[in-house]
Amino acid sequence: MHAAAPPPNGAASSPATLERWLTGPRIAGIPARDAAQPPPLLSFEFFPPRNAALEAQLWHCIRRLERLAPRFVSVTYGAGGTTQARTHATVARIVEETSLTPAAHLTCVGAPRAEIDAVARHYWAAGVRHIVALRGDPPPGEPYRPHPEGYPYAADLVAGLRRIAPFEISVAAYPETHPQALSPEADLDNLKRKLDAGATRAITQYFFETETYLRFLDRALAAGITAPIVPGIMPVSNYAQAARFSALCGASVPAWLGHLFAGTEDDAELRRIVGALIAAEQVRLLQANGVDEFHFYTLNRPDLTYAIAHILGVRPQPDAPLAGDRAGAAGTG
């Protein structure tokens, strides 16, 4: 008679195992959602391409996610407004060639008011009705200095946009506090100024700990903020890249995230699976806490966002175009 094989991974068996399983705490699962419950509202963020290959990647991403009929899609600027022209071109093409509603990023950095106002008027004339109004980041290694003839801060920009046209305006919020804020209280006061100046909603910097966002909502309500604060979600498929981004923008990277991605460096498919599971669990937990709108930082990679949207119950619209159905599909720009 052969001896029983030892448990895998060095785990020791014990007659107390079943007792431990039966007497340990019971944790209720995240509530299941069926087809009778409406799916959440989604929005997606893209960044403008730097070359032809990246433009093809961007438009593949846009076409794939277009079928999910998001509430809107936003297009970013680079630090110091370095991608301004490409942002404008991308937004204009989205208006002309897709069924999507674009939200154009507009920043205060490095430009006089007259120039920013002219851009806003151009967007309105082109049919763009939604602006993401931001102070903006200075070029790397430089402190932020308001342009002497510009809008000093995002609240001033919001007020200026309100004078130009009845835009829908989104602004940024920071659950873990903006890296340059004097204090969490000062940062929250700044958010309130932006909303009081006429912003419609706030969209948060991404975060990985759900409790961080929920505590931030509590603080915002206590400060008299009642506008929607939409959670920003960044699905991670490259842990090292996410850690670098986070160090620059002040987002905390919990130890458990690094642990989950440890050993996946040479397995891209495993990284995608891990990333999808992490983000899906995060948004489902937020849903269980009553949140019904999410903004995804896609990094111009659609597959993770598309998979998470499916888990949330968002399905392609029957009349939405398939990728490549319209003129100007991926790679033709």
Side-chain angles (χ1 to χ4, degrees):
M1 185 173 181
H2 298 289
N9 298 326
S13 61
S14 165
T17 298
L18 182 57
E19 180 182 354
R20 174 169 54 82
W21 289 353
L22 293 175
T23 59
R26 294 290 184 263
I27 299 173
I30 298 174
R33 299 174 66 88
D34 58 29
Q37 296 170 299
L41 296 172
L42 303 184
S43 55
F44 305 131
E45 182 168 297
F46 309 122
F47 60 83
R50 295 190 300 271
N51 55 49
L54 292 177
E55 182 163 359
Q57 178 180 322
L58 166 64
W59 280 91
H60 168 71
C61 182
I62 290 172
R63 295 302 181 185
R64 181 150 170 76
L65 296 179
E66 181 181 9
R67 301 184 63 210
L68 299 180
R71 184 173 186 176
F72 64 90
V73 298
S74 66
V75 184
T76 70
Y77 271 3
T82 52
T83 61
Q84 184 181 98
R86 288 191 292 272
T87 295
H88 296 172
T90 301
V91 170
R93 188 174 168 189
I94 289 173
V95 170
E96 294 169 1
E97 299 181 9
T98 78
S99 61
L100 295 167
T101 299
H105 282 219
L106 200 54
T107 68
C108 305
V109 172
R113 292 189 185 199
E115 182 179 317
I116 295 171
D117 290 353
V119 171
R121 292 189 182 97
H122 172 76
Y123 276 139
W124 186 266
V128 176
R129 299 293 183 262
H130 189 167
I131 299 288
V132 180
L134 306 164
R135 187 202 73 176
D137 296 322
E142 297 182 18
Y144 175 74
R145 295 186 181 90
H147 190 285
E149 299 173 6
Y151 291 109
Y153 297 100
D156 307 296
L157 175 58
V158 170
L161 291 170
R162 278 276 169 251
R163 290 191 291 269
I164 292 169
F167 285 107
E168 181 176 3
I169 302 174
S170 296
V171 293
Y174 298 87
E176 299 181 84
T177 305
H178 191 283
Q180 297 172 11
L182 296 176
S183 68
E185 292 72 26
D187 196 37
L188 201 56
D189 288 343
N190 185 50
L191 173 59
K192 192 171 190 305
R193 282 194 294 273
K194 292 186 286 189
L195 293 165
D196 289 346
T200 313
R201 73 171 60 75
I203 300 171
T204 76
Q205 174 63 273
Y206 68 85
F207 54 91
F208 296 113
E209 297 282 13
T210 300
E211 187 63 25
T212 298
Y213 168 80
L214 297 175
R215 286 197 304 267
F216 182 69
L217 290 188
D218 292 338
R219 292 177 50 233
L221 185 60
I225 293 171
T226 57
I229 300 178
V230 180
I233 306 295
M234 189 177 77
V236 175
S237 61
N238 183 321
Y239 174 78
Q241 182 185 61
R244 287 194 300 272
F245 283 168
S246 300
L248 293 172
C249 67
S252 298
V253 180
W256 59 258
L257 188 68
H259 176 70
L260 288 174
F261 278 100
T264 67
E265 294 79 8
D266 299 322
D267 193 333
E269 182 62 21
L270 179 56
R271 289 198 304 272
R272 283 192 291 269
I273 293 170
V274 171
L277 289 172
I278 291 169
E281 181 177 279
Q282 181 182 30
V283 293
R284 290 196 64 223
L285 184 55
L286 288 167
Q287 277 190 303
N289 281 276
V291 180
D292 61 2
E293 185 170 353
F294 302 93
H295 184 74
F296 282 89
Y297 299 103
T298 69
L299 303 182
N300 293 5
R301 299 183 187 120
D303 293 343
L304 275 183
T305 299
Y306 197 95
I308 297 158
H310 182 91
I311 292 170
L312 293 175
V314 178
R315 299 291 185 269
Q317 299 302 300
D319 56 348
L322 293 170
D325 278 356
R326 293 173 182 259
T332 63

